Each structure stands twice: as structure tokens, then as C-alpha cells.
């Protein structure tokens, strides 16, 4: 029976009215900061690539390590965090029929706090007072304002976390016996993980502020590094969880299919939330002062992430094949041809998913003890995170833009813009394949990372790295072209594309699918398990590092 | 003609439900993991 207009407005106001303009403003503001950061970070990335290849010499007022620090923080923290908040708040608004006004206020408070923090951090880097790299752990010491800026960034993220928790609780209270829409469930997973991930780094930063001010003479470097990787490793999986929300829920709709079992999707989210944080020590696998048993535990916990990842791989292959076959695909791989490769909303996340195969395999190499000895602190690691973050995550984010931004700005994705998006995706893919591919190979040959000059007086081994470094430079140049195209596309879709209605593409379950189980909504229990796993992994080693502390380190400036 | 129609639709339905492409793709994924791991382990063994 057809619904009356009144019933439609009551039951599904978005169908008639579209997105709430106030909610759209929140998301668009975060996305604006994200893509301005991407542009600046991308330019800095290309400069690094060219300097590393010996093609340019940066001026004395802008050295390699300043550029490296700004590139890392602007892209890995600012771009990903602001994009995630913009996207997840849009998901929440769509799923819940609008944000609560106090939640919107929290999002604006978070926005202001993050902006203040980013300005403080950036100014300190520009003034050459904070060339401490993206990881910023001791003994390298920045100006205190740099760390205070980071506190503001974390407070901004926490404001957004609390906003999500409040809106979720309100919705659950008003919908007893119902499971939350799947995208809102993803948002809960993302922000819970973010909150608990940032606790470690917040403690670290609070110990570094008095140390950098000279109020405390020394700091415990081991504890600082450990607290950083509690956050740093989890951040990677926060991006991954955000990307998988689009893979599981958005991509099936775009290709004309249905999403995989909601029970499995929810299980993957819960596993990623519970298992994620205690993988940090695999970044410190060659550090002294950590017992073999603790390292073994963390290697095991890192590898446990492979379980939900492999579940995701199976589920996505299933969805793609089932849809491709429904569209007439035959044979072993004929279904692949039936997928909409000319639609950027599919193409970009599809390439992102494919790249997660070598990206995930590289992650298993990194976390294996003996294999880590081969690749530790080499360009392999840089190649690894460029293929995982730079393709699996970022290309998914780019693909999301082509429906999310027109939806929020009440505009349309034109065929011309779709074509630009397809070209951008190929430019980005080729650029990253050249850059990350050569980084992987030259890393295996021993080329170190985080070093501006690796000629080592013309030693023959160092000379053998140069051709690969030239390929980085070519890749980095293509990537900057990709950034410029993407930023153009984003702001065009935000302000200049033709007005119109754009669908928020959320896939439906299969007709015979069983309803999502209510037990998955027990976030209290998942958080208890998360805390138990964190305690198991961190209490003993951190207590040991404090009780048997090596001599502390004074602040060190190497620049 | 009358007899071939049900067979065709049965075959089509079977083809629509087939997951051999998924099995193959998961196999490729496993192969990438194994090849990458073994290659780097071989380099490690060569260097120790």
C-alpha cells in the first residue's frame, strides 16, 4: 500500500527533506579541514620524495624532518580524524534520522578544539620547534606548545566520541528491542576504539609536557614509546574499521547487491574493537627491555586481527561474486566483468580492497619476529603503510566522497565528475604502486627510513638504492597530481555541482537473512572485555618498565 | 524444448549460487600471504 505524504514524513523524513542542513554543516566542515590538510600534506609528501631521490635540496628554513613531521601529522592524524568524524557523523545522522542538538554542539566543540590544537602543532613545526616526526616519542623533544596542541586535538576527538555515545544511548532508549542500524553500530565501534586508543597517548603527552618545559629532568623512554604505540597501532585499525563500514554496507548497494550477514558484520566489528589495542608492541619488537613472553603475546594479539580481516575478505568476495552472477556473470571469474568498473563510487573502494591483500600480507611479515629483523626501520615499513593507509583506507575515503559530499550539499554527481574521479583513482593507484612498490623492494635491500640522505659516501650498496628512490619521486609526483584532482572534485561537489537529490547508499540484507542478534548490542560487555585484554597486555610490561626503569633521558633536539 | 527449459533454469540458478570465484579469490589471497612471508623469511635465513 502506498504511504501518504504525512506517513512518509513521519516515518522517514529524510526521504522527503533529505539531510538535516545543520547536521550536513557539521560533516562538511570536518571534510573541508580534511581536504585542506590533504592538499598541504600531499605537497609536503612530494617534496620529501624529491629530496630523498636527490632531485631537489630543501632550503635551510624548511628541512626534511620538518616536512616529514608535518606530512605525517597532517595526513595520519588530521586528515584521517576529520574525515572519519565528518563521515561517521553523517552515517549517524542518516541512521538515526538526525543528530540530537546537544550532540551537534559537542561536534562543534570538538571541531573548535581540534582546530586550535592543529594550529598550535603546525605553528611549532613551521617554526622548527617540533621536528619530532609523526611518532613524537621521547627522547626527541618538541616545544611544550606542540604537546599542548596535541592535547587539544585529543580533547576534540573525545568531544566527538561522547557525542556518538550520547546519541546512541538516546536512540536505544527510544527503540527498545531493536538493533541499531548497521552504520551506527560501526560508528560506535570506531569511537569506542578511538577513546580507548587515545588514553595511552594522552598519558604519554602529559608526562612529556613538564619534561619539555624543563620541570622534570628526565623521562622514561620505554614507557613513552609503549604508550605511543598503544595509540599508534590502534589508529591504523580505526582507519581500517572506518573503511570496512563502506566495504560492507555502501559498496554492495552501489553494485546493486545486498550486504553479507549482519551477524557476521557485527561480529567483525566487535572482534576489531576487543582485539585491536594490544598489538602495539610489534612496533617495538626489536626494542630492548621487553621480555620475550610479552613480545610473543603482542605478536599473537597482532596476528589475531587477521581473523576478522579474513572474514571480511571472504564476505566481500561473496557479495561481489553473488552480485556479479546475478548480473549475468559466468564461469570462474566472469562475474568480475559485470561489476560497475566505470563508477568511481565502486572503483575506488574496490582497488582499496584489492590493495588490502598485499597490505595485510605485509602486516603479517612486520609482526613476525624474525621477519621484522629484515624490514625493521627500512623503507619497507614506509611502503607498507602507504599501501595500507594510502590505498586501502584513503582510496576508500575518496570513493565515499563521490556520494557523501553531493548528498550533504544537496547536489549531484555528474557523469563528468564521475569520469574525473575514475581518472583520479587510476592516477592515485599507479602513483602508489610505483612509490609503495619500490619502497617495499628497496627496504628489503636495506634502505633506511626517516633519513634525508642515504648516499653514505657513495658506498656501492647505497648507490644501488638510488634507482628505486627515483621511482619514489615519480610516484610521489603522480600522487600530488591525484591529490590536486581529488581536492578539486571535493570542493566542486561541495559548492558548484548541479543541485539535486543524491541517495545515501545503504545496502539491504538478503531477503531470507535472519535479523541481527540483539546480544551484539552489549557494548558494556565488549568494553569490559576490551579493558581486560588491554590490562592483560599492558599492565605487566608497563609496571616492569617503571619498577626496573633504565636511566631516564633528558630532552634531545637533533635539529 | 519443453524439457530443456527446466534444466536451463536449474543451471542458471546453480550458476547464480556458485561461489567458486570466491574460493579461487580466497586462494589467491592465501597465496600472496604465503609467498610474501616465505620470501622475507628466506632473506632472513640468508642473512643470519
Amino acid at each position: 500500500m502506498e504511504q501518504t505524504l504525512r506517513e512518509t514524513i513521519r516515518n522517514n523524513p529524510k526521504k522527503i527533506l533529505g539531510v538535516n542542513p545543520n547536521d550536513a554543516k557539521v560533516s562538511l566542515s570536518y571534510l573541508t579541514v580534511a581536504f585542506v590538510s590533504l592538499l598541504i600534506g600531499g605537497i609536503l609528501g612530494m617534496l620529501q620524495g624529491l629530496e630523498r631521490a636527490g632531485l631537489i635540496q630543501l632550503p635551510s628554513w624548511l628541512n626534511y624532518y620538518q616536512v616529514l613531521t608535518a606530512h605525517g601529522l597532517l595526513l595520519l592524524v588530521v586528515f584521517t580524524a576529520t574525515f572519519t568524524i565528518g563521515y561517521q557523523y553523517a552515517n549517524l545522522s542518516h541512521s538515526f534520522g538526525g543528530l540530537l542538538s546537544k550532540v551537534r554542539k559537542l561536534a562543534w566543540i570538538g571541531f573548535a578544539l581540534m582546530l586550535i590544537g592543529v594550529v598550535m602543532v603546525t605553528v611549532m613545526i613551521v617554526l622548527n620547534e617540533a621536528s619530532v616526526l609523526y611518532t613524537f616519542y621521547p627522547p626527541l623533544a618538541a616545544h611544550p606548545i606542540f604537546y599542548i596542541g596535541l592535547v587539544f586535538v585529543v580533547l576534540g576527538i573525545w568531544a566527538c566520541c561522547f557525542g556518538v555515545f550520547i546519541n546512541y544511548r538516546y536512540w536505544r532508549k527510544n527503540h527498545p528491542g531493536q538493533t541499531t542500524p548497521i552504520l551506527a553500530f560501526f560508528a560506535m565501534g570506531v569511537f569506542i576504539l578511538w577513546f580507548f586508543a587515545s588514553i595511552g597517548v594522552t598519558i604519554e603527552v602529559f608526562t612529556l609536557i613538564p619534561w619539555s618545559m624543563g620541570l622534570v629532568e628526565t623521562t622514561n623512554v620505554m614507557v613513552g614509546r609503549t604508550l605511543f604505540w598503544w595509540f599508534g597501532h590502534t589508529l591504523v585499525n580505526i582507519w581500517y574499521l572506518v573503511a570496512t563500514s563502506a566495504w560492507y554496507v555502501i559498496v554492495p548497494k552501489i553494485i546493486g547487491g545486498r550486504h553479507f550477514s549482519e551477524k557476521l558484520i557485527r561480529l567483525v566489528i566487535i572482534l576489531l574493537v576487543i582485539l585491536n589495542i594490544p598489538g602495539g608492541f610489534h612496533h617495538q619488537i626489536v626494542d630492548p627491555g621487553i621480555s620475550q613472553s610479552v613480545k610473543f603475546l603482542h605478536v599473537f594479539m597482532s596476528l589475531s586481527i587477521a581473523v576478522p580481516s579474513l572474514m571480511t575478505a571472504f564476505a566481500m568476495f561473496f557479495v561481489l561474486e553473488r552480485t556479479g552472477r546475478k548480473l549475468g556473470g559466468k564461469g570462474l571469474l566472469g562475474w568480475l566483468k559485470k561489476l560497475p568498473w566505470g563508477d568511481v563510487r565502486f572503483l575506488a573502494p574496490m582497488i582499496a580492497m584489492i590493495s588490502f591483500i598485499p597490505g595485510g600480507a605485509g602486516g603479517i611479515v612486520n609482526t613476525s619476529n624474525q621477519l621484522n629483523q629484515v624490514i625493521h626501520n627500512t623503507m619497507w615499513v614506509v611502503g607498507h603503510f602507504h599501501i595500507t593507509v594510502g590505498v586501502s583506507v584513503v582510496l576508500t575515503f575518496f570513493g565515499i566522497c563521490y556520494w557523501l559530499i553531493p548528498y550533504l550539499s544537496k547536489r549531484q554527481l555528474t557523469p563528468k565528475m564521475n569520469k574525473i574521479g575514475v581518472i583520479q583513482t587510476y592516477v592515485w593507484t599507479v602513483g602508489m604502486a610505483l612509490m609503495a612498490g619500490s619502497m617495499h623492494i628497496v627496504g628489503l635491500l636495506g634502505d633506511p627510513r626517516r633519513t634525508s640522505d642515504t648516499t653514505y659516501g657513495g658506498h656501492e650498496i647505497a648507490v644501488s638504492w638510488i634507482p628505486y628512490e627515483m621511482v619514489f619521486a615519480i610516484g610521489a609526483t603522480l600522487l600530488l597530481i591525484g591529490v590536486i584532482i581529488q581536492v578539486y572534485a571535493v570542493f566542486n561537489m561541495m559548492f558548484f555541482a548541479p543541485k539535486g537529490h543524491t541517495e545515501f547508499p545503504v545496502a539491504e540484507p538478503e531477503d531470507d537473512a535472519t535479523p541481527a542478534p540483539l546480544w551484539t548490542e552489549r557494548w558494556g560487555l565488549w568494553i569490559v572485555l576490551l579493558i581486560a585484554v588491554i590490562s592483560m597486555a599492558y599492565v605487566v610490561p608497563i609496571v616492569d618498565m617503571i619498577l626496573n626503569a633504565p636511566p631516564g633521558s633528558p630532552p634531545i633536539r637533533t635539529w | 524444448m519443453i524439457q530443456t527449459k527446466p534444466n536451463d533454469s536449474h543451471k542458471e540458478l546453480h550458476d547464480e549460487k556458485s561461489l567458486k570465484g570466491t574460493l579461487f579469490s580466497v586462494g589467491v589471497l592465501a597465496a600472496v600471504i604465503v609467498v610474501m612471508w616465505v620470501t622475507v623469511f628466506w632473506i632472513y635465513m640468508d642473512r643470519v
Side-chain angles (χ1 to χ4, degrees):
Chain A
M1 190 192 287
E2 280 187 22
Q3 283 187 322
T4 63
L5 184 63
R6 180 180 294 183
E7 281 170 337
T8 307
I9 291 172
R10 188 188 303 138
N11 298 332
N12 189 5
K14 289 191 298 289
K15 198 170 177 184
I16 300 291
L17 304 171
V19 62
N20 178 330
N22 292 326
D23 296 356
K25 247 181 236 170
V26 171
S27 289
L28 288 171
S29 301
Y30 275 98
L31 293 172
T32 300
V33 175
F35 284 93
V36 170
S37 305
L38 178 75
L39 183 61
I40 301 169
I43 293 168
L44 296 174
M46 190 195 70
L47 291 178
Q48 270 178 83
L50 296 180
E51 162 128 355
R52 185 66 197 256
L55 296 172
I56 61 164
Q57 177 81 48
L58 286 169
S60 57
W61 51 267
L62 184 69
N63 68 63
Y64 181 83
Y65 300 99
Q66 262 176 298
V67 170
L68 185 56
T69 307
H71 172 73
L73 281 165
L74 282 173
L75 296 186
L76 293 178
V77 177
V78 183
F79 170 69
T80 60
T82 48
F83 183 90
T84 298
I85 295 168
Y87 167 54
Q88 293 294 341
Y89 265 68
N91 286 347
L92 217 61
S93 170
H94 179 78
S95 303
F96 289 162
L99 299 172
L100 295 173
S101 64
K102 61 181 167 186
V103 170
R104 218 178 291 124
K105 267 184 206 154
L106 274 170
W108 283 120
I109 291 169
F111 185 74
L113 288 167
M114 286 179 78
L115 268 190
I116 294 167
V118 169
V119 169
M120 290 166 83
V121 166
T122 309
V123 168
M124 285 302 108
I125 297 171
V126 171
L127 293 176
N128 203 16
E129 291 288 342
S131 297
V132 288
L133 313 187
Y134 149 70
T135 44
F136 62 82
Y137 38 55
L140 289 181
H143 192 282
I145 291 176
F146 173 84
Y147 300 114
I148 295 167
L150 290 176
V151 172
F152 276 91
V153 173
V154 172
L155 288 175
I157 290 172
W158 282 1
C160 295
C161 291
F162 293 130
V164 173
F165 303 155
I166 290 167
N167 222 135
Y168 172 83
R169 196 180 162 81
Y170 176 85
W171 192 91
R172 290 276 296 144
K173 206 174 159 187
N174 287 285
H175 297 79
Q178 290 183 37
T179 50
T180 40
I182 188 65
L183 283 175
F185 195 81
F186 263 109
M188 275 298 283
V190 167
F191 284 91
I192 287 172
L193 209 45
W194 223 340
F195 180 75
F196 284 96
S198 53
I199 289 174
V201 77
T202 307
I203 299 169
E204 182 204 355
V205 168
F206 276 118
T207 64
L208 297 182
I209 290 172
W211 175 71
S212 63
M213 285 174 162
L215 301 175
V216 177
E217 279 186 18
T218 61
T219 191
N220 187 323
V221 172
M222 286 301 295
V223 173
R225 289 170 64 83
T226 303
L227 291 173
F228 177 83
W229 283 119
W230 165 334
F231 159 79
H233 173 73
T234 311
L235 185 60
V236 176
N237 288 303
I238 291 172
W239 304 326
Y240 166 51
L241 190 54
V242 175
T244 53
S245 72
W247 299 352
Y248 271 117
V249 186
I250 309 296
V251 168
K253 178 72 175 180
I254 288 168
I255 63 175
R258 304 291 183 96
H259 70 60
F260 197 75
S261 154
E262 194 166 332
K263 192 193 274 185
L264 177 132
I265 300 174
R266 285 167 177 259
L267 186 62
V268 165
I269 298 168
I270 293 164
L271 284 174
L272 283 171
V273 168
I274 295 173
L275 298 174
N276 232 318
I277 293 180
F281 272 113
H282 79 252
H283 292 258
Q284 295 169 263
I285 216 160
V286 301
D287 278 17
I290 304 169
S291 71
Q292 288 295 322
S293 55
V294 167
K295 284 182 180 173
F296 185 81
L297 172 71
H298 281 256
V299 165
F300 177 78
M301 292 306 295
S302 302
L303 289 173
S304 70
I305 295 300
V307 176
S309 301
L310 291 172
M311 287 160 75
T312 300
F314 168 76
M316 291 315 302
F317 284 132
F318 177 98
V319 168
L320 295 171
E321 179 171 16
R322 194 47 71 82
T323 310
R325 287 194 186 281
K326 271 185 189 160
L327 295 171
K330 307 274 182 208
L332 183 64
L333 295 171
W335 47 274
L336 275 170
K337 290 184 200 159
K338 297 290 176 183
L339 299 174
W341 295 97
D343 186 338
V344 65
R345 300 170 307 158
F346 164 74
L347 179 71
M350 182 64 187
I351 293 175
M353 288 189 276
I354 293 169
S355 78
F356 195 56
I357 298 174
I364 294 173
V365 167
N366 298 349
T367 199
S368 304
N369 187 37
Q370 289 87 347
L371 279 63
N372 191 281
Q373 317 300 310
V374 176
I375 56 87
H376 198 87
N377 265 341
T378 68
M379 289 306 292
W380 165 287
V381 178
V382 186
H384 169 72
F385 64 68
H386 276 93
I387 205 169
T388 47
V389 182
V391 188
S392 299
V393 173
V394 170
L395 215 41
T396 303
F397 288 4
F398 289 174
I400 288 169
C401 288
Y402 291 93
W403 57 265
L404 179 64
I405 293 175
Y407 166 79
L408 293 169
S409 59
K410 300 195 178 188
R411 292 174 190 274
Q412 285 177 316
L413 173 66
T414 60
K416 190 180 162 196
M417 185 52 72
N418 180 62
K419 203 172 176 185
I420 290 172
V422 169
I423 293 167
Q424 194 281 341
T425 306
Y426 286 126
V427 168
W428 189 266
T429 305
V430 172
M432 205 55 99
L434 289 174
M435 195 179 80
S438 58
M439 283 172 167
H440 274 92
I441 297 168
V442 81
L444 291 175
L445 300 175
D447 194 357
R449 67 171 176 151
R450 294 176 157 176
T451 306
S452 63
D453 179 77
T454 52
T455 51
Y456 297 109
H459 189 279
E460 60 179 317
I461 292 178
V463 169
S464 74
W465 300 331
I466 292 173
Y468 296 96
E469 292 172 351
M470 292 292 178
V471 180
F472 305 172
I474 297 168
T477 308
L478 281 174
L479 288 168
L480 181 62
I481 295 169
V483 165
I484 292 167
I485 300 172
Q486 184 63 28
V487 171
Y488 164 76
V490 163
F491 289 107
N492 184 285
M493 290 186 289
M494 222 180 256
F495 300 111
F496 305 111
K499 286 273 182 188
H501 173 75
T502 294
E503 184 196 16
F504 195 109
V506 178
E508 299 289 329
E510 295 281 358
D511 290 332
D512 57 352
T514 50
L518 255 179
W519 59 261
T520 55
E521 299 282 350
R522 290 181 184 162
W523 282 109
L525 177 61
W526 312 138
I527 289 171
V528 168
L529 290 173
L530 163 71
I531 293 170
V533 171
I534 294 174
S535 307
M536 175 187 79
Y538 281 98
V539 170
V540 171
I542 288 182
V543 168
D544 183 52
M545 284 172 196
I546 293 169
L547 293 180
N548 301 302
S553 174
I556 291 175
R557 278 175 65 116
T558 52
W559 63 96
Chain B
M1 279 298 277
I2 297 162
Q3 278 180 334
T4 54
K5 267 186 181 171
N7 284 343
D8 282 352
S9 67
H10 176 75
K11 190 172 174 290
E12 267 178 28
L13 189 67
H14 176 75
D15 217 35
E16 265 194 23
K17 297 277 179 191
S18 168
L19 285 175
K20 58 188 176 187
T22 299
L23 180 66
F24 176 78
S25 307
V26 172
V28 170
L29 187 157
V32 171
I33 293 173
V34 171
V35 167
M36 199 183 272
W37 201 95
V38 169
T39 305
V40 182
F41 188 69
W42 179 80
I43 294 171
Y44 169 76
M45 292 302 289
D46 191 50
R47 290 180 186 173
V48 288

